[in-house]
């Protein structure tokens, strides 16, 4: 098991250019997903909504749109993953020629995608937190709110939602890799 992990890390290092496209796609998607879902925690946005029913409708709208965004993100991840696999067909063919079983190649790809997924999740969440703060400041400026009351907010609900949705999408992608 450790051998596959070591090979996976070396493959990611060797194929850095190819994996950078995949990594950036995942990171950007996670950043956007977190930023979008953290809107409901931003005080400057919530102050626009004065009625409790407006806040409920706003939160439902975010939840429904979040599901739509997750489908788009899932499609984007699957497309980027397929692109990456196609670029590496020769390398995978060499592994098979050298006698590596398909199951072992599948494990190797599983470790590689898991490694890239965890790294992109961490970087995407950090970027998402920063971008959401920038959006909050921008919204406060546009709506003429006092920036003196601005607080740096990290939405743990948005983090959990992002991790859960991304985890489910990524499990789907890894199951495609197994085939």
């Amino acid at each position: 098991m450790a051998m596959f992990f070591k090979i996976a890390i070396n493959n990611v290092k060797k194929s850095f250019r190819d994996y950078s496209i995949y990594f950036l796609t995942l990171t950007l998607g996670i950043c956007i997903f977190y930023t979008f879902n953290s809107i409901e925690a931003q005080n400057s946005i919530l102050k626009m909504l004065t009625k409790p029913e407006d806040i409920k409708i706003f939160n439902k709208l975010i939840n429904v749109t979040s599901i739509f965004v997750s489908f788009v993100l899932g499609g984007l991840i699957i497309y980027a993953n397929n692109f990456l696999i196609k670029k590496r067909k020769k390398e995978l063919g060499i592994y098979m020629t050298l006698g590596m079983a398909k199951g072992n190649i599948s494990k190797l790809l599983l470790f590689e995608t898991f490694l890239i997924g965890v790294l992109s999740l961490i970087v995407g969440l950090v970027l998402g937190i920063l971008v959401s703060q920038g959006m909050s400041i921008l919204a406060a400026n546009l709506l003429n709110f006092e920036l003196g009351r601005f607080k740096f907010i990290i939405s743990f609900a948005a983090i959990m939602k992002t991790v859960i949705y991304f985890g489910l999408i990524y499990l789907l992608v890894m199951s495609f890799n197994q085939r």
Side-chain angles (χ1 to χ4, degrees), residues 57-69:
I57 291 171
F58 182 72
N59 286 338
K60 283 183 183 179
L61 180 65
I62 285 179
N63 288 332
V64 169
T65 309
S66 180
I67 292 170
F68 173 74
V69 169

Side-chain angles (χ1 to χ4, degrees), residues 43-127:
N43 290 334
S44 59
I45 302 294
L46 292 178
K47 285 180 182 176
M48 288 189 320
L49 308 170
T50 55
K51 299 176 189 172
E53 55 268 1
D54 288 345
I55 294 173
K56 286 180 185 177
I57 291 171
F58 182 72
N59 286 338
K60 283 183 183 179
L61 180 65
I62 285 179
N63 288 332
V64 169
T65 309
S66 180
I67 292 170
F68 173 74
V69 169
S70 68
F71 277 109
V72 171
L73 179 60
L76 187 63
I77 291 170
I78 289 170
Y79 177 78
N81 188 57
N82 288 339
F83 172 77
L84 189 61
I85 297 294
K86 284 179 185 176
K87 283 194 77 94
R88 296 186 60 209
K89 273 191 176 187
K90 288 181 183 177
E91 177 187 346
L92 299 176
I94 290 171
Y95 284 143
M96 290 179 77
T97 303
L98 292 173
M100 187 181 264
K102 285 185 179 182
N104 289 337
I105 293 173
S106 185
K107 266 188 219 175
L108 184 63
L109 288 174
L110 184 75
F111 281 130
E112 289 176 16
T113 55
F114 179 75
L115 179 67
I116 294 295
V118 169
L119 289 173
S120 62
L121 181 63
I122 293 168
V123 173
L125 282 173
V126 170
L127 286 175

Side-chain angles (χ1 to χ4, degrees), residues 33-42 121 125-126 128-129 132-133 152-165:
F33 193 81
Y34 171 84
T35 302
F36 179 75
N37 282 292
S38 70
I39 290 173
E40 61 188 290
Q42 300 297 331
L121 181 63
L125 282 173
V126 170
I129 289 168
S132 71
Q133 299 309 308
F152 188 83
I153 296 172
I154 296 176
S155 173
F156 292 104
I159 288 173
M160 290 306 299
K161 195 177 212 179
T162 303
V163 169
I164 290 169
Y165 278 53

